Structures are given as C-alpha cells and as structure tokens.
Amino acid sequence: MASNDRPRFSRRSGVNLIAAVPCLLGRYPSRVRRYAAVVLAGGAARRMDGVDKPARPVGGRPMRDRVLAAVADAAPRILVGPAAGAPADVLITRESPPGGGPVAAAAAGLDRIPADVDLVALLAADLPLFTRDAVRELLDQLDGERGGGQPAAGPGGIDGVCFVDDTGRRQPLCGVWRVAPLRAAFTRLVTQRPLAGASLRVLLHGLAVREVPWRGDGPPPWFDCDTDEDLRRAEEWVR
C-alpha cells in the first residue's frame, strides 16, 4: 500500500478508523510569521525502562531530531531536556527540577523565548510523525487564514490551537500558542501551586483554544511513542 494511501488508526486500539482524505495543505498560502519552538524532551520514559525516549530512532533518525526538523524555520528552537546529541543550533535548557513534568519543562522553554516573538510551537519530542505541513496547518489556523476570518488574540479571540486525536482528545503538546496569554497562564498557576508535577489541563484552563482535527494526507502528527509497540507502528508509517 502506498504511504499516502494509508488509513489512519487509533493509537489506543490500533484499529483503522477513517480513510485518509485528500490533503488540502498547499492550496492556501501560509503567512510568513516568526515563531519560536519549544520541544519537550525530558521525562523518565517509564514504559521504556527509563531510556532516553526522544533519542530512540524512527526511520533511522532520533524522534527528537525529527520534531526539530519539522520546525526548522522557527527562531529560536529550544530543546528542554538532555543536550547530548542535540543539533548545534538548538538552544538547550532544563526544567527545574529535572523530570518535573511537562508544565515545568514548558515554563523553562518559555523563559528562553525573546520578547519580540509572539508565537510558540509547543511540542513533545516523541512525535516522530510530526511534519512541516502539520506546523503550517497550526499556524494558519491560529492566524485565522482558513477559519473564515475568525478573530485573533484579544477579547473573544483565540489564545492557541492544538490538534485533537480521533477520539476528540486534545493534544496540547502538538500545538501553537500565543506567547502572552501562555505566559499569563503560567503566572496564574505559579501563584496556586508549584509548576513541577502540575498538569497541562490545569495550566491551559481558561485559555481560548481552537481544536484542529488532522485532515491531511499521511499519519496523524499527534501520534506519540510511549512504548516499543508505538515505535514499531511509527516505523511502518515512515517506510
């Protein structure tokens, strides 16, 4: 079966759900805007015996590097996690404490974003199927280019966009966010509890989020690899 004819599947069940639909990407010009990218590569990978999960290869390339390549035009690109083997032009930082969870890691990455950058792609490092087309879709959705003139940031506007999987579940670490409201969310949360161990759901509560289903050709960009079986499935997609 050709790669662009492959149907999607649910990561939970492994069953085919819907046939891939023709890709609409590329028919709409992307607005050229500067954005940063924060890639979260920490965590203990407990279901992989504690190995450095983002460094595990898919298609002969570490998952972390595949995600960073998808946002090659971001400036800056910030990796939150171990520095070993990371591309030389990527900024490296660590959450406090190391292994403190995605909210603490996102905060560490956000701290490295220059003041003149107002958009950030916030991504997990274990998304080997995430592509440039996927980030373009998110940026276009946030700008409202393909949303019928939907409002931008501000009262009644949207603060971020993220993909939703085939079950309707949000994928907040597969999204693009406006930096100002995201910073405000961290400020609110830190007055209530430590960032380490906090949930993304609590952090993003109150933000206006547009949920984006994946309608492009190919595999779902939100597919993450938590187990060896997930890695095997991802390998099938990139062949």
Side-chain angles (χ1 to χ4, degrees), residues 82-155:
D89 61 342
V90 172
L91 299 179
I92 308 295
T93 189
R94 288 305 306 261
E95 70 273 29
S96 180
V103 171
L110 206 64
D111 282 346
R112 301 296 301 273
I113 296 177
D116 61 339
V117 178
D118 64 353
L119 297 178
V120 58
L122 187 60
L123 304 166
D126 62 346
L127 305 176
L129 309 179
F130 190 78
T131 63
R132 175 58 190 146
D133 279 347
V135 76
R136 183 183 297 118
E137 171 76 353
L138 292 168
L139 288 165
D140 285 352
Q141 287 282 348
L142 187 56
D143 280 336
E145 285 187 352
R146 296 172 54 191
Q150 295 183 43

Side-chain angles (χ1 to χ4, degrees), residues 2-219:
S3 61
N4 59 359
D5 291 330
R6 291 176 179 171
R8 292 189 201 168
F9 56 85
S10 165
R11 188 176 75 80
R12 292 181 179 177
S13 65
V15 299
N16 296 334
L17 295 177
I18 57 174
V21 297
C23 180
L24 298 178
L25 301 173
R27 298 182 186 177
Y28 302 84
S30 275
R31 183 176 304 164
V32 178
R33 296 194 62 182
R34 184 181 178 189
Y35 73 102
V38 172
V39 177
L40 309 186
R46 293 179 180 87
R47 283 184 279 180
M48 288 187 178
D49 297 324
V51 301
D52 184 2
K53 181 174 65 169
R56 293 284 297 272
V58 170
R61 191 176 193 184
M63 290 190 286
R64 170 203 62 206
D65 292 4
R66 296 179 72 94
V67 176
L68 288 168
V71 291
D73 60 340
R77 292 184 299 167
I78 302 161
L79 180 69
V80 186
D89 61 342
V90 172
L91 299 179
I92 308 295
T93 189
R94 288 305 306 261
E95 70 273 29
S96 180
V103 171
L110 206 64
D111 282 346
R112 301 296 301 273
I113 296 177
D116 61 339
V117 178
D118 64 353
L119 297 178
V120 58
L122 187 60
L123 304 166
D126 62 346
L127 305 176
L129 309 179
F130 190 78
T131 63
R132 175 58 190 146
D133 279 347
V135 76
R136 183 183 297 118
E137 171 76 353
L138 292 168
L139 288 165
D140 285 352
Q141 287 282 348
L142 187 56
D143 280 336
E145 285 187 352
R146 296 172 54 191
Q150 295 183 43
I158 57 172
D159 300 315
V161 298
C162 68
F163 285 115
V164 290
D165 66 19
D166 45 86
T167 69
R169 183 179 179 181
R170 281 184 184 177
Q171 303 296 314
L173 294 183
C174 197
V176 174
W177 307 86
R178 299 191 190 278
V179 172
L182 191 57
R183 290 191 195 278
F186 277 107
T187 299
R188 288 192 298 270
L189 183 59
V190 80
T191 64
Q192 302 168 10
R193 55 153 300 155
L195 297 182
S199 75
L200 286 165
R201 180 183 57 81
V202 172
L203 171 69
L204 300 175
H205 178 73
L207 294 188
V209 182
R210 179 181 296 164
E211 299 177 347
V212 181
W214 177 242
R215 305 191 192 280
D217 281 343

